[in-house]
């Protein structure tokens, strides 16, 4: 996908909103290391039902990326 394609131009404002939200949450937190959104807390509560063999990424990471991709 080229940088000037319509899909990537629609993606930029969305990514900017995520960056702004992350900065806003970091400013509210007393300790930026423990900044965590409500969405991440809920996704982290989803039980892991995959076997440990061959796992590369934690389930919460996969679910978070899936949520971002659907937005």
């Amino acid at each position: 996908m080229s940088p000037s394609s319509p899909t990537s131009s629609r993606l930029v404002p969305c990514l900017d909103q995520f960056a702004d939200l992350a900065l806003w949450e970091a400013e509210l937190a007393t300790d930026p290391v423990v900044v965590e959104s409500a969405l991440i807390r809920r996704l982290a509560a989803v039980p892991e039902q995959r076997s440990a063999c061959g796992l590369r990424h934690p389930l919460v990471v996969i679910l978070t990326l899936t949520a971002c991709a659907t937005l």
Side-chain angles (χ1 to χ4, degrees):
M1 178 181 324
S2 69
S4 62
S5 71
T7 304
S8 67
S9 64
R10 284 183 264 147
L11 185 62
V12 172
C14 185
L15 293 175
D16 288 341
Q17 288 178 354
F18 279 126
D20 291 342
L21 180 61
L23 288 172
W24 179 73
E25 284 186 344
E27 288 173 2
L28 290 178
T30 56
D31 185 5
V33 174
V34 295
V35 172
E36 185 177 292
S37 71
L39 176 63
I40 301 297
R41 273 194 302 277
R42 286 189 167 213
L43 293 176
V46 174
E48 174 69 73
Q49 297 187 4
R50 302 176 295 166
S51 68
C53 181
L55 287 182
R56 290 187 181 195
H57 306 288
L59 181 62
V60 69
V61 172
I62 294 170
L63 294 174
T64 302
L65 290 173
T66 303
C68 291
T70 59
L71 297 174

